[in-house]
Amino acid sequence: MYNRRNKFNPLWNSLVLGGVKNGNKYLGTVSMIGVNFKDNHVATGFGNHLAQPILRQEWHENLSFEDGVKLLEKCMRVLLYCDRSAVNKLQIAKITEEGVTIHQPYSLKTYWEFSTFENPAQGAIGSW
């Protein structure tokens, strides 16, 4: 990625990196042009705009794994509803000092029968 960035031909990827070593946790992100930071929670793409506010409000240090998965599913559901062409499948990975556990992919439960989803332009003044 560094070589491609320096040639002004970056790979169009944003990466999330995580790990635990000697009890020190790490979670960070790197953009396609090398902008990087670490935090307690990170997101890429559209998630920076829609999921990060939810994470900032609801994440806390003592969050259990199960509650963390519920929070992640809430964020992913918001992102899915804003982009109907997205796929509702996700896969969870848990990183601990003992290693990485990657769970089986599963489909997020969704509800598309909201009246706004069926006719989004209804009631919109000056709609296209």
Side-chain angles (χ1 to χ4, degrees):
M1 288 184 69
Y2 178 78
N3 185 37
R4 291 277 302 261
R5 181 193 73 181
N6 287 343
K7 292 181 180 180
F8 295 98
N9 185 18
L11 295 171
W12 287 80
N13 294 331
S14 292
L15 306 176
V16 173
L17 308 165
V20 179
K21 187 172 184 178
N22 299 327
N24 296 323
K25 300 175 190 174
Y26 180 86
L27 182 62
T29 184
V30 180
S31 76
M32 69 178 186
I33 58 172
V35 175
N36 61 81
F37 66 93
K38 66 180 219 170
D39 203 348
N40 292 317
H41 47 79
V42 297
T44 62
F46 210 29
N48 274 329
H49 307 286
L50 297 177
Q52 278 288 30
I54 297 169
L55 291 169
R56 285 186 191 119
Q57 186 176 29
E58 297 186 24
W59 181 88
H60 55 85
E61 186 70 37
N62 299 323
L63 200 64
S64 69
F65 178 72
E66 291 77 20
D67 290 339
V69 169
K70 288 178 186 174
L71 179 57
L72 177 65
E73 287 176 349
K74 179 179 181 177
C75 292
M76 295 304 290
R77 196 170 285 113
V78 167
L79 292 166
L80 179 65
Y81 285 149
C82 290
D83 183 3
R84 290 181 69 168
S85 64
V87 178
N88 68 333
K89 289 199 175 195
L90 61 131
Q91 188 171 16
I92 305 290
K94 182 178 181 180
I95 304 171
T96 63
E97 188 80 38
E98 291 78 38
V100 178
T101 306
I102 301 176
H103 300 274
Q104 290 295 320
Y106 64 97
S107 296
L108 196 60
K109 291 184 175 90
T110 57
Y111 179 76
W112 291 100
E113 306 306 317
F114 293 112
S115 61
T116 308
F117 289 157
E118 293 173 5
N119 188 1
Q122 180 181 5
I125 299 172
S127 177
W128 307 298

